[in-house]
Amino acid sequence: MPRTQEPVIQIQNLETRFGTALIHKEISLEVYRGEIFAIVGGSGSGKSTLLREIIMLTSPSAGSIRIFGEELGRLDETCAAHLQARFGMMFQQGALFSSLTVLENVALPLKEHTPLSSQLITELALHKIKLVGLPLEAATQYPRELSGGMIKRAAVARALALDPELLFLDEPSAGLDPVSAAALDKLILDLRDSLNLTVVLVTHDLDSLWRITDRAAFLGEKTLLGLDTVAALARSEHHLLQAYFRGPRGRTAQESAWTRK
Ligand SMILES: Nc1ncnc2c1ncn2[C@@H]1O[C@H](COP(=O)(O)OP(=O)(O)OP(=O)(O)O)[C@@H](O)[C@H]1O
């Protein structure tokens, strides 16, 4: 659970349109320092779009997003780059460069954003590779030589390269078997605790949602339908939340979460 209620992300009255299509309206929420916060909802509810807006890959049509108190819409390019250097991002499928080894992938952000010597960069990258639980041999391997779970870990190592305060994960467990997905969840929890990270993730994985998130925002009907702990959202009477949490997959995830407790 978050240790404070200090907001690191503040979204107010966000609205998103693509042409004439309204995607989001009246979205307001805060993410607190140290929490694992999920963005959930049905397919096409705008989860990835909201994440892209938070990480400054796209701009909302109206409303404001503040990160560490800075309003994103008012930042010049230099300030935006400075702020982005405080984020780590893991995209779906890991998105590692296939022509680079794991070590080269993890070292890349350090090469691009720091003046450090190549020896120090290698040492720092190897430290991150170890931190995510990869064996040292993985450092010289290419993504095609790794299992799905190892690729995700390598992608997390790269996202952590610049010691971010905020870690964004887009569908971290997509494509993983249940055992690897659970192991990745444990890694995310351990990293949050040991590195004092704030984690924001988009997920369709109900097991993961029950296992690691402190709070979640539920998107639907083009707006924010719920903002609470997963247990509280699962009790909601709204028909979309009921369908999501009390459908067969939702019930199984909830039952296994309770069995674990
Ligand atoms: N660049 C874009 N231009 C036009 N429409 C877009 C763009 N990006 C997203 N959309 C539309 O916005 C809506 C929300 O998309 P988004 O990918 O954010 O949803 P999602 O909840 O992440 O979906 P999923 O769970 O299926 O990944 C969809 O109708 C999508 O077609």
Side-chain angles (χ1 to χ4, degrees), residues 61-132:
S61 315
S64 78
I65 302 177
R66 284 173 182 273
I67 301 191
F68 302 124
E70 308 243 32
E71 187 163 341
L72 304 189
R74 296 200 179 158
L75 296 177
D76 62 26
E77 233 172 80
T78 314
C79 293
H82 208 256
L83 190 61
Q84 269 173 326
R86 297 170 75 183
F87 305 168
M89 176 76 205
M90 188 184 101
F91 292 97
Q92 265 190 51
Q93 316 306 335
L96 297 172
F97 290 105
S98 57
S99 59
L100 302 181
T101 64
V102 168
L103 179 64
E104 288 164 345
N105 264 288
V106 178
L108 198 62
L110 290 156
K111 274 192 184 157
E112 283 178 350
H113 296 283
T114 73
L116 301 173
S117 69
S118 41
Q119 191 191 336
L120 190 51
I121 286 179
T122 300
E123 279 172 27
L124 290 171
L126 286 172
H127 170 69
K128 292 295 175 345
I129 288 168
K130 202 170 145 207
L131 192 68
V132 299

Side-chain angles (χ1 to χ4, degrees), residues 16-19 21-24 39-52 58 92 170-171 202-204 219 222:
T16 308
R17 288 174 189 274
F18 289 120
L22 177 69
I23 309 299
H24 303 129
I39 302 172
V40 294
S43 210
S45 56
K47 303 178 293 294
S48 299
T49 301
L50 181 59
L51 186 69
R52 289 172 61 79
T58 180
Q92 265 190 51
D170 190 7
E171 294 274 355
V202 168
T203 188
H204 279 292
L219 303 186
K222 306 188 188 304

Side-chain angles (χ1 to χ4, degrees), residues 6-27:
E6 177 195 344
V8 292
I9 301 176
Q10 296 162 285
I11 298 180
Q12 269 188 329
N13 268 325
L14 185 104
E15 185 182 299
T16 308
R17 288 174 189 274
F18 289 120
T20 53
L22 177 69
I23 309 299
H24 303 129
K25 62 175 183 195
E26 292 164 18
I27 293 191

Side-chain angles (χ1 to χ4, degrees), residues 90-94 146-152 170-182 184 202-206 208 249:
M90 188 184 101
F91 292 97
Q92 265 190 51
Q93 316 306 335
L146 305 178
S147 68
M150 289 169 88
I151 288 178
K152 302 280 182 168
D170 190 7
E171 294 274 355
S173 54
L176 293 185
D177 64 79
V179 173
S180 307
L184 187 68
V202 168
T203 188
H204 279 292
D205 183 339
L206 282 152
S208 192
R249 285 185 58 219

